[in-house]
Amino acid sequence: MNDENPHSAEAAGHGGRSGWNRRGMLQAAGATALGAGLAGLGAMPAAAKPGKSNGKGAGNSVQEGIVRKELKFSSSGAFTIVQFNDTQDSHRTDVRTTELQNAVLDDVKPNFVVINGDVINGGPGSVREVKQAINNVVLPMEQRKIPWALTFGNHDEDSTGKTGFDEADMIAFIDQYEYNLNTTGADVTGTSNQVVTVAASNGNADAFAIWLLDSGRYAPKEIAGQNFEGYPDWDWLRYDQVEWYAETSRALEKKAKRKVPGLVFQHIALHEHRAMWFSSIDSRTAADHERAVKKHSIVGERNEAECPGPFNSGMFNAMLGRGDIRGLFVGHDHINSYSGNYYGIELGYSPGTGFQPYGLPGAEKNRMRGARVFTLDEGAEGVYTGSEIKFARDYGIDTSSGNQPGEPAEFPSYVK
């Protein structure tokens, strides 16, 4: 699957349905089983860990998935975020993935970095190799003392069946890194659902919010005795996650005495991404897209169909109702790079950063490798001022097809 686009067939995308499914397989039949099945879709307990100092001298404050006192606007009111997506490799990460990360970080000098899911793939065959795979792609930020965090995608636990190392173990492992801001997160479905606030330049008040959500892996085999044949079989944000966002958004507003604007990062797209591209639910023609470009100010490429889960999570409706989110950005579909304004909320993709997984067909495989850069201005209306994609080709990085595996990077002295 790593040398061709697995989304060419709807049912086979992203490696198909895995035998290891962190959200469980529902075996349900009849009303009683349906009740049990829906209960199985609920929260997975996760207690928040204590805060830590990340070299910034402040320490953080973690309460119900809120991380404070780690990020702050500069005296000029500026703040920059970089989104790397789908680095998705083994302990021998393609050398060009690291080259791209280094080039973007040195060029942009961001204040914060998010690796937005599919950080690694199923290649590692041991716990050490899992740790090496993660270390390879987080080390560029550690070396530059840039705060960073990750979200989880559908591939991050692909090696768990072989290694026994799951997402909870990964969070415990990356806690050793001095500039990592992940916590175990809120007590809802998934791992490390959290919001990291950016403090105002003149104090500690929350001026912006960076939401990091776990959009899961794959759909269960069935619910209420009904399988998902004919439907997308990826995961979706669960109700308790959406509810947590809304409740926490209100808590931020209460503390700040105003709505706190923010961006959301999750791996798997919303159904609204596709609706925006065509400005339609039912019709998907070139004329529909032409109308959508004008209506929603769409820019960028769509080289594969969006791959959300089988159900619409309701997250967009919740964001629309709260009125604080300026944009929601995903990965998952490696060769999409578009963004647009969908009824006041920007929806967008960052293309795959990693050079190992699938890309475009043939010789163009690696043309879309890149990262998205977001700019914030504390004094601007809405704070978020826009984003752009930095492509590997912009930095003269070799984008020829084929893989170029490297050797595992050395661990920092403080990481075991």
Side-chain angles (χ1 to χ4, degrees):
M1 68 155 284
N2 292 321
D3 294 319
E4 58 182 307
N5 181 359
H7 295 174
S8 57
E10 285 285 331
H14 284 282
R17 188 177 280 113
S18 168
W20 176 269
N21 190 330
R22 58 180 289 276
R23 298 200 179 196
M25 301 296 192
L26 298 182
Q27 302 297 330
T32 302
L34 175 59
L38 293 178
L41 290 176
M44 297 173 63
K49 71 182 180 185
K52 65 181 177 183
S53 175
N54 289 320
K56 299 170 76 67
N60 67 27
S61 173
V62 181
Q63 182 180 9
E64 294 299 324
I66 302 174
V67 178
R68 286 192 171 96
K69 299 184 180 179
E70 294 293 354
L71 303 178
K72 190 170 186 174
F73 280 92
S74 69
S75 58
S76 67
F79 195 92
T80 303
I81 302 168
V82 163
Q83 176 191 357
F84 293 129
N85 231 97
D86 298 277
T87 48
Q88 195 176 326
D89 211 334
S90 72
H91 59 297
R92 298 195 62 198
T93 304
D94 193 300
V95 296
R96 295 167 297 176
T97 302
T98 307
E99 187 178 357
L100 173 56
Q101 288 186 277
N102 288 335
V104 171
L105 296 178
D106 288 342
D107 176 21
V108 175
K109 297 178 175 56
N111 303 98
F112 180 68
V113 172
V114 55
I115 306 179
N116 196 27
D118 283 2
V119 183
I120 64 174
N121 65 12
S126 67
V127 170
R128 179 170 178 79
E129 288 181 353
V130 172
K131 292 179 177 180
Q132 288 173 325
I134 296 171
N135 182 64
N136 289 343
V137 295
V138 306
L139 202 55
M141 285 78 78
E142 284 289 302
Q143 291 170 333
R144 292 166 175 79
K145 301 182 179 181
I146 300 171
W148 61 274
L150 57 81
T151 67
F152 287 114
N154 54 297
H155 282 303
D156 289 302
E157 285 185 321
D158 281 355
S159 65
T160 301
K162 294 182 290 183
T163 65
F165 205 77
D166 63 14
E167 289 176 357
D169 295 317
M170 294 177 196
I171 292 297
F173 168 66
I174 63 176
D175 183 59
Q176 299 175 83
Y177 288 86
E178 292 183 350
Y179 293 89
N180 174 251
L181 300 188
N182 280 99
T183 71
T184 50
D187 185 12
V188 295
T189 301
T191 306
S192 202
N193 293 278
Q194 61 184 69
V195 56
V196 182
T197 64
V198 185
S201 59
N202 62 354
N204 293 322
D206 297 332
F208 199 78
I210 303 169
W211 299 83
L212 306 173
L213 303 180
D214 178 1
S215 55
R217 298 194 68 222
Y218 305 102
K221 285 186 176 179
E222 61 178 41
I223 296 177
Q226 301 172 26
N227 64 33
F228 286 93
E229 182 179 359
Y231 292 90
D233 65 355
W234 296 278
D235 220 329
W236 65 94
L237 289 180
R238 300 298 164 84
Y239 173 76
D240 62 338
Q241 293 173 282
V242 178
E243 185 178 40
W244 168 78
Y245 150 70
E247 290 178 350
T248 306
S249 168
R250 286 190 286 268
L252 294 182
E253 180 182 13
K254 182 177 180 180
K255 181 177 176 61
K257 295 182 174 54
R258 59 177 177 77
K259 293 185 188 295
V260 179
L263 290 171
V264 178
F265 294 95
Q266 64 181 65
H267 186 67
I268 296 175
L270 301 178
H271 280 253
E272 284 83 2
H273 280 79
R274 181 177 292 183
M276 180 181 73
W277 182 264
F278 291 106
S279 188
S280 173
I281 298 296
D282 300 317
S283 183
R284 299 173 184 173
T285 68
D288 293 324
H289 174 59
E290 185 176 351
R291 183 180 70 254
V293 168
K294 296 176 182 178
K295 180 188 292 186
H296 301 305
S297 303
I298 297 172
V299 295
E301 296 184 35
R302 178 184 185 266
N303 293 301
E304 60 179 311
E306 299 82 359
C307 295
F311 302 133
N312 189 320
S313 66
M315 182 64 183
F316 185 85
N317 194 33
M319 295 188 300
L320 200 62
R322 283 297 303 141
D324 57 349
I325 300 301
R326 300 296 177 254
L328 182 148
F329 287 82
V330 301
H332 189 51
D333 308 318
H334 303 180
I335 49 180
N336 289 343
S337 66
Y338 69 82
S339 65
N341 184 320
Y342 192 66
Y343 298 99
I345 299 174
E346 189 172 358
L347 300 180
Y349 276 92
S350 176
T353 301
F355 278 70
Q356 193 274 343
Y358 81 84
L360 290 165
E364 281 212 313
K365 175 188 175 183
N366 293 316
R367 180 176 66 82
M368 296 291 292
R369 307 307 188 192
R372 188 174 282 276
V373 179
F374 302 82
T375 53
L376 309 179
D377 182 344
E378 186 181 14
E381 182 178 358
V383 183
Y384 169 54
T385 56
S387 70
E388 64 173 327
I389 295 177
K390 300 285 189 177
F391 289 102
R393 60 181 186 263
D394 298 334
Y395 298 103
I397 296 171
D398 176 17
T399 57
S400 60
S401 59
N403 298 325
Q404 299 179 21
E407 294 301 320
E410 293 292 328
F411 293 102
S413 60
Y414 45 85
V415 173
K416 296 179 181 179

